[in-house]
Amino acid sequence: MLETLSKVFTDNPLIVSFAVVGAAMYISYVISDRFTKGRIHGSAIAIIIGLILAYFGGITTGGEKGLSDVSIFAGIGLMGGGMLRDFAIVATAFGASFDEIKKAGVRGVVSLFIGVILSFVVGVGIALAFGYTDAVSLTTIGAGTATYIVGPVTGAAIGATSEVITISIAAGLVKSILTMVGTPFVAKYIGLNNPRTAMVYGGLMGTTSGVAGGLAATDPKLVPYGAVTATFYTGLGCLMGPSVLFLMTKAAFG
């Protein structure tokens, strides 16, 4: 029976990957509701579960692709690969309307540029602290600190190594988790209780999943507003990362 199941899983890798992710999401939201009363969003817990599974998959097989190195979970490599990632970027961008972002006024637009540049500078500083000195690596890790989508897009465009791109994704994931978990706790101190501040917050933080998850745990009504500017943040980061930010980093560090 086990051999039969193994063959079914191996022959239908993408279907299995959707089932695994769905199960992980279900468990995550149950944990969120029962043990944190929604204060830690299910998406944050799901990311942590994914990282744990990837870690154990890697040390079990000695491979380089985490859980997808296990044959029956090979479809996760496709599901989490560049194709669906780029599809998600395009789909997210199509879901945003420029008319909506204008409702935040100049503050919303300014928050986008401040958010991207500030996150990038912090990421470059961290990369320098860990010994990276070339412009390609610094730019990729800095872009990853903006979001885990901007990092790999930038890295692929400027020729970064797979190791550096992986680090950029990890940096973005850390930021996303911290944003999800931290937003409900800082909301009352920064006046995050209305659509306008939610849009500015989304522009400053940028990580769409982190902002959406954090706002969902704070006030679900604010999610669409924060997600709109966070979506534009991702698009702006993908435009600036391989071009303006790379050229600035190259001029500064050679």
Side-chain angles (χ1 to χ4, degrees), residues 54-66:
Y55 172 75
F56 281 106
I59 63 173
T60 300
T61 64
E64 299 178 351
K65 299 181 180 179

Side-chain angles (χ1 to χ4, degrees), residues 106 111 140 157 190 205:
V106 177
S111 70
T140 302
I190 62 176
M205 301 307 297

Side-chain angles (χ1 to χ4, degrees), residues 119-147 150-172 241-242 245-251 253-254:
S119 293
F120 180 79
V121 170
V122 171
V124 169
I126 294 173
L128 285 170
F130 279 91
Y132 291 94
T133 56
D134 62 289
V136 172
S137 296
L138 292 174
T139 303
T140 302
I141 296 173
T145 309
T147 81
V150 176
V153 169
T154 299
I158 62 179
T161 64
S162 58
E163 174 190 280
V164 171
I165 291 176
T166 300
I167 293 173
S168 76
I169 295 173
L245 298 178
F246 174 59
L247 294 175
M248 290 172 56
T249 305
K250 190 173 183 179
F253 298 97

Side-chain angles (χ1 to χ4, degrees), residues 92 146-149 176 180 202 205-214 223 226-234:
T92 304
T147 81
Y148 57 81
I149 291 177
S176 180
M180 286 184 189
M205 301 307 297
T207 168
T208 307
S209 56
V211 168
V223 172
V228 166
T229 44
T231 299
F232 277 96
Y233 176 110
T234 301

Side-chain angles (χ1 to χ4, degrees), residues 46-209:
I47 290 175
I48 295 172
I49 291 176
L51 292 174
I52 293 172
L53 290 175
Y55 172 75
F56 281 106
I59 63 173
T60 300
T61 64
E64 299 178 351
K65 299 181 180 179
L67 194 62
S68 63
D69 283 319
V70 180
S71 59
I72 62 174
F73 299 125
I76 291 178
L78 174 62
M79 188 178 184
M83 180 182 69
L84 289 182
R85 178 201 68 202
D86 295 341
F87 173 79
I89 295 172
V90 174
T92 304
F94 269 102
S97 169
F98 190 73
D99 291 334
E100 291 296 324
I101 198 173
K102 290 192 294 186
K103 294 180 181 180
V106 177
R107 297 175 184 176
V109 176
V110 171
S111 70
L112 289 173
F113 287 92
I114 293 176
V116 171
I117 294 173
L118 182 60
S119 293
F120 180 79
V121 170
V122 171
V124 169
I126 294 173
L128 285 170
F130 279 91
Y132 291 94
T133 56
D134 62 289
V136 172
S137 296
L138 292 174
T139 303
T140 302
I141 296 173
T145 309
T147 81
Y148 57 81
I149 291 177
V150 176
V153 169
T154 299
I158 62 179
T161 64
S162 58
E163 174 190 280
V164 171
I165 291 176
T166 300
I167 293 173
S168 76
I169 295 173
L173 283 172
V174 170
K175 177 183 177 182
S176 180
I177 293 171
L178 290 177
T179 303
M180 286 184 189
V181 175
T183 299
F185 298 100
V186 303
K188 64 180 180 181
Y189 299 107
I190 62 176
L192 188 56
N193 55 13
N194 61 80
R196 179 171 295 180
T197 56
M199 295 185 81
V200 172
Y201 184 72
L204 288 173
M205 301 307 297
T207 168
T208 307
S209 56

